[in-house]
Amino acid sequence: MRKVAGARKALPRLAGVLACGLFIATRMSQAAAMPTVDGAEQLHRLDVMLQVTSKHCSGSSSDFRSAYAAFSQAHRSAIAKAAQQLRAQLVQRHGSIAAASAFERMNARLAAQYRGGHPWLDCEELQTVTRGLAMVQGSATLIEAADQILPKRQATRFATTRD
């Protein structure tokens, strides 16, 4: 109950931060069609988090699977480019044979991180965020949003860790 009460109090603050960040990000230059490797990783992490938490929230009154589908459709190209860039990085680091399993391990770790939901956003908040992200344009905006709503990563990036 404490998590929900704290999240409710944080919702207006989170909405303000997200709105400010999204405004800034939409004003940023979108000259680069492909995000950086870090940006590609952030975009991929955002996509996986939204996908997994939408399934987690599917039994709640804030089922946002349709919002996730709209997000996924709207940003299909950017999400695919991000995954392609991560795979290419994994090929460089691990070789072509091991890259596929490294990508799958990375995705499994990401999914496991969100199976129980988001660390501080509840289903209603995630639904609102996902609906908003489905309407934005440009991967720079998505990467900025990911920086704001994803837990900070460990010093070692997911894409470069080896089991």
Side-chain angles (χ1 to χ4, degrees), residues 3 5 35-36 56 62 79 84 105-106 109 111 116 123 134 140 147 150 153 155:
K3 179 182 174 186
T36 64
H56 171 77
S62 299
I79 292 167
Q84 181 182 28
R105 283 193 311 272
M106 178 185 69
R109 277 190 231 119
C123 293
D147 285 340
L150 292 175
R153 295 176 293 189

Side-chain angles (χ1 to χ4, degrees), residues 79-161:
I79 292 167
K81 285 178 184 176
Q84 181 182 28
Q85 193 170 0
L86 288 174
R87 284 186 184 104
Q89 180 189 27
L90 290 169
V91 167
Q92 286 180 332
R93 290 196 167 270
H94 304 292
S96 58
I97 295 173
S101 63
F103 189 73
E104 291 305 316
R105 283 193 311 272
M106 178 185 69
N107 286 333
R109 277 190 231 119
L110 285 170
Q113 183 178 0
Y114 298 107
R115 274 201 188 94
H118 190 278
W120 63 82
L121 297 175
D122 64 20
C123 293
E124 184 179 347
E125 294 163 332
L126 286 165
Q127 181 180 45
T128 301
V129 167
T130 306
R131 284 179 179 160
L133 291 176
M135 294 185 285
V136 301
Q137 294 181 1
S139 39
T141 306
L142 296 176
I143 293 165
E144 176 65 27
D147 285 340
Q148 294 176 32
I149 64 174
L150 292 175
K152 298 303 175 212
R153 295 176 293 189
Q154 305 286 331
T156 306
R157 294 195 323 252
F158 283 108
T160 60
T161 58

